[in-house]
Amino acid sequence: MSHAPRLEIDLDKIYHNAHTLVHHLKHCGISVTGVTKATLGSPDIAKVLLRAGVSALGDSRIENIECICRANIDAEMILIRTPMISQVENVVNFANLSFNTEIQVIRQLSIQAQKVDRIHKVLLMVELGDLREGILPEDLVEIARQTACLPNIILEGIGTNLACRSGVAPDVTNMTRLTELAIDIEAATKQPLNMVSGGNSANLTWAFSGADIGRVYNLRLGESILLGRETLHRKPIINLHTDAITLVAEVIESKLKPTKPHGEIAQSAFAAKRTAKNRGTTRQAILAIGIQDVDPQGLKSNDGVSICGASSDHLMIESSNDNLAIGNELSFRPNYAALLRMMTSPFLEKRLLQQS
Ligand SMILES: *Cc1c(COP(=O)(O)O)cnc(C)c1O
């Protein structure tokens, strides 16, 4: 018997997606950092990304980076979230480079790097409108100057991250601003910056638009590689697979049931009070997976069923088809939020499929 629920992860399709993006971006003069955070730092997926030609691996959690390092994978490892001061020891141990926004943290990285006689590279993140992480542009040159002076620290470059918190689109204006800031820093520190990293999968539209990329020679890609979509409008990217990752879950109950609850209605376990329409009796089933394992709103059925409710451990579906027998498996395609949570759930088997 197959284990359910499970994620089926097609490594050949992920390879194809990564290789295609690396190849196209190389033509634009842009290198790709492969972002592994949605895979919980899977060493197998990391290897696929490296084989496909990414120049480095990036993850926001030092635990994931440690996991990849311990699998003896030899790659440039980048921590793409500003480190916790409480973790600087592991950051210097396992990451070659970290993204930073606080000089206080960079000073601690310097102290730790001196202690263990290592060099740690730092990239400064700049706030260019999205209001997630970032040093304000007017403070950047001064912090760059201070960073460049710290022992055992190399100021490797600058970067920005858009379209994450607020959906601000990367465009010619904000990317040109990043290039200008890089030039300002080089003038102030009299040292070249090796890396100007323009953003994430949301930057692909800009990168492929034919716009002058200026000094932005690197992007960090996660979702577009794994799910085959750009992230501003979630449109499929031409020639990429959008079905590399599939959720399979098992039916544990299947009945004709009313659509309207009866009794006095108050709050439920996960939602505010609401009223259900009476649509008569429908064929309803329960799948053995729940909010603990997945974001139900991020699932699309491959079998034409619709999701009508969820609790911690139950996913309620409706179907006009007859495919809801007990023990049947149904499959779904996850969005990024659903994928992220499923990879983190110990209850899902992660089944890696690979032909080549
Ligand atoms: C998650 C993340 C990325 C990758 O974003 P995708 O949308 O998955 O391509 C890039 N940079 C930073 C700083 C991130 O946190």
Side-chain angles (χ1 to χ4, degrees):
M1 283 293 266
S2 272
H3 182 282
R6 64 179 178 276
L7 269 181
E8 295 184 347
I9 303 172
D10 187 322
L11 294 181
D12 297 328
K13 288 182 177 171
I14 291 174
Y15 172 83
H16 170 88
N17 286 358
H19 187 260
T20 305
L21 288 168
V22 166
H23 181 79
H24 286 332
L25 286 168
K26 199 172 178 181
H27 274 284
C28 310
I30 295 174
S31 69
V32 174
T33 297
V35 174
T36 53
K37 67 186 185 211
T39 74
L40 207 65
S42 157
D44 293 297
I45 296 173
K47 280 185 213 156
V48 168
L49 300 182
L50 289 166
R51 196 156 51 80
V54 303
S55 56
L57 296 173
D59 203 296
S60 44
R61 313 275 172 149
I62 196 63
E63 294 85 351
N64 290 347
I65 288 178
E66 180 174 348
C67 172
I68 291 172
C69 289
R70 291 203 186 282
N72 285 322
I73 292 172
D74 183 26
E76 171 90 350
M77 298 300 308
I78 307 180
L79 181 66
I80 60 174
R81 182 176 72 183
T82 200
M84 294 184 223
I85 281 195
S86 59
Q87 293 186 328
V88 290
E89 197 176 325
N90 276 350
V91 174
V92 170
N93 255 345
F94 296 110
N96 308 93
L97 165 67
S98 59
F99 287 8
N100 284 269
T101 60
E102 292 290 350
I103 191 68
Q104 208 186 334
V105 175
I106 302 169
R107 289 202 187 98
Q108 292 303 314
L109 289 168
S110 169
I111 289 167
Q112 179 61 26
Q114 291 172 70
K115 227 187 254 174
V116 295
D117 197 22
R118 277 182 173 233
I119 301 293
H120 186 75
K121 293 184 277 189
V122 163
L123 180 144
L124 299 175
M125 290 297 271
V126 196
E127 157 50 38
L128 289 181
D130 199 53
L131 299 180
R132 204 180 77 170
E133 78 278 36
I135 298 164
L136 299 178
E138 56 266 36
D139 301 328
L140 185 65
V141 170
E142 179 52 29
I143 293 181
R145 216 196 297 262
Q146 292 179 26
T147 301
C149 296
L150 289 171
N152 294 48
I153 295 289
I154 290 177
L155 176 60
E156 182 74 358
I158 61 172
T160 195
N161 195 71
L162 299 172
C164 248
R165 174 177 167 193
S166 318
V168 171
D171 59 17
V172 171
T173 307
N174 45 43
M175 288 299 107
T176 303
R177 185 85 183 99
L178 193 63
T179 291
E180 289 166 359
L181 288 166
I183 293 167
D184 290 350
I185 291 173
E186 289 179 338
T189 61
K190 307 209 164 42
Q191 288 172 19
L193 293 180
N194 285 328
M195 191 183 221
V196 180
S197 188
N200 52 45
S201 296
N203 284 63
L204 289 172
T205 310
W206 161 81
F208 293 142
S209 72
D212 180 1
I213 61 165
R215 287 285 304 278
V216 181
Y217 296 152
N218 175 266
L219 292 178
R220 314 170 301 270
L221 303 181
E223 180 171 348
S224 52
I225 293 175
L226 297 171
L227 300 180
R229 290 172 189 270
E230 56 81 39
T231 56
L232 290 175
H233 307 286
R234 298 271 155 23
K235 288 203 201 100
I237 299 170
I238 191 157
N239 289 332
L240 296 201
H241 297 290
T242 54
D243 60 350
I245 300 175
T246 306
L247 163 68
V248 179
E250 183 177 325
V251 176
I252 54 172
E253 182 189 299
S254 177
K255 294 183 193 309
L256 287 167
K257 278 192 187 179
T259 44
K260 191 168 171 56
H262 54 92
E264 192 192 326
I265 306 288
Q267 290 181 5
S268 72
F270 291 96
K273 183 175 166 174
R274 63 189 161 186
T275 41
K277 266 213 204 98
N278 190 353
R279 294 177 289 111
T281 297
T282 58
R283 168 62 59 180
Q284 295 179 34
I286 298 176
L287 300 177
I289 185 169
I291 292 173
Q292 180 164 20
D293 314 289
V294 69
D295 177 1
Q297 289 175 342
L299 294 178
K300 268 215 168 70
S301 168
N302 290 331
D303 306 291
V305 305
S306 58
I307 294 171
C308 53
S311 71
S312 323
D313 316 295
H314 301 80
L315 193 67
M316 273 64 78
I317 58 168
E318 265 182 40
S319 168
S320 44
N321 302 345
D322 257 349
N323 51 1
L324 300 180
I326 307 301
N328 271 11
E329 291 184 339
L330 296 180
S331 75
F332 298 84
R333 259 168 302 152
N335 72 5
Y336 192 73
L339 173 63
L340 199 59
R341 202 181 300 168
M342 289 193 290
M343 286 301 298
T344 314
S345 169
F347 299 101
L348 274 99
E349 180 196 347
K350 285 81 184 180
R351 185 175 296 178
L352 304 173
L353 312 172
Q354 191 164 29
Q355 308 280 315
S356 55

